[in-house]
Amino acid sequence: GLETAQNLIITILRIFNIPFNHPVYDKEVDEISSGLAKADIIYLTLNALKYLNQDAIPIGITLISKLVFSADSSKTFAQQFVQGNGLGVINKYTLLASENNPVLIVDTLSLISQLARISKDFYDNIHNSNIYQDLKNLIVHQDASIRAKVCNLIGNLCRHTGFFYEKLLKFGLISAAIECCRDPDRNTRKFACFAVGNAGFHNDVLYEHLKPCVPLLVELLRDQEEKT
């Protein structure tokens, strides 16, 4: 029945997660990732999610997130994720709901952020997934790791072109990123700088809206975080 199917899937997903969680496998990770890519593991994992309850879904998302971050096969996994309607799955299971487990939210944000970082070819798919309101809610989340990840995602949405500039402005995410430049969390400040920097990089569409961040950036030149 359903319970046995779920337990079997959870066990398999845990096994597939092992090489990405233990340094002892570092030398084999690329080879393992290549094998998983040939086995269409992204499609299989996305399909398997429908047999899992809400508490078990993070195991599958964690695996997909780690695969999309894998060095040699990352673009292959990213393409499989998008072609397998992975962004639709994020909406279907409301993975970016602010009340979810922070680990699940961070893994989901990391996954989308990596898609945006890898290629502008995924920009249309990300836009069509309509996650803007979720991002607006999460950028003020009480968990600092979530605020930092949203800022990182905004930076990657602005990495290749100005495609998202007006869309981010419309949903208040530019002003929210500026506000994060004064966040008490050092990582959030760091990624907020990355976000507003890329928001002013490709053209002048957001220049007027970015003006308030100038004094904050000047202050951040003295930040304790070197990358900031």
Side-chain angles (χ1 to χ4, degrees), residues 154-218:
I154 292 171
N156 281 324
L157 292 176
C158 301
R159 183 185 185 94
H160 301 287
T161 72
F163 176 90
F164 282 102
Y165 281 3
E166 293 185 3
K167 300 166 182 65
L168 294 170
L169 180 66
K170 177 182 175 183
F171 283 88
L173 286 163
I174 296 301
S175 58
I178 291 172
E179 189 59 32
C180 284
C181 286
R182 61 170 120 239
D183 196 275
D185 175 64
R186 63 191 290 171
N187 268 335
T188 302
R189 295 195 301 273
K190 176 179 72 178
F191 287 117
C193 289
F194 171 59
V196 299
N198 281 358
F201 185 76
H202 299 287
N203 58 50
D204 62 358
V205 166
L206 298 177
Y207 279 9
E208 285 297 316
H209 305 279
L210 290 170
K211 276 184 178 179
C213 78
V214 174
L216 300 178
L217 293 175
V218 172

Side-chain angles (χ1 to χ4, degrees), residues 45-90:
T45 303
L46 287 170
N47 188 54
L49 294 180
K50 65 188 176 191
Y51 300 106
L52 303 182
N53 62 33
Q54 197 73 17
D55 292 336
I57 284 175
I59 301 169
I61 299 302
T62 296
L63 175 62
I64 292 172
S65 180
K66 285 184 167 67
L67 290 171
V68 172
F69 270 89
S70 66
D72 285 356
S73 307
S74 60
K75 187 154 189 183
T76 301
F77 287 127
Q79 288 169 335
Q80 289 179 358
F81 178 76
V82 171
Q83 290 165 4
N85 192 33
L87 289 161
V89 167
I90 288 173

Side-chain angles (χ1 to χ4, degrees), residues 117-183:
R117 193 191 72 79
I118 288 172
S119 174
K120 65 181 180 181
D121 295 342
F122 299 127
Y123 276 8
D124 269 322
N125 302 95
I126 295 171
H127 167 65
N128 291 333
S129 68
N130 198 26
I131 58 172
Y132 301 107
Q133 189 58 50
D134 288 328
L135 297 183
K136 189 173 182 181
N137 295 336
L138 293 175
I139 202 169
V140 292
H141 198 281
Q142 62 183 12
D143 190 304
S145 64
I146 291 174
R147 299 196 302 274
K149 277 294 178 187
V150 176
C151 290
N152 189 24
L153 171 53
I154 292 171
N156 281 324
L157 292 176
C158 301
R159 183 185 185 94
H160 301 287
T161 72
F163 176 90
F164 282 102
Y165 281 3
E166 293 185 3
K167 300 166 182 65
L168 294 170
L169 180 66
K170 177 182 175 183
F171 283 88
L173 286 163
I174 296 301
S175 58
I178 291 172
E179 189 59 32
C180 284
C181 286
R182 61 170 120 239
D183 196 275

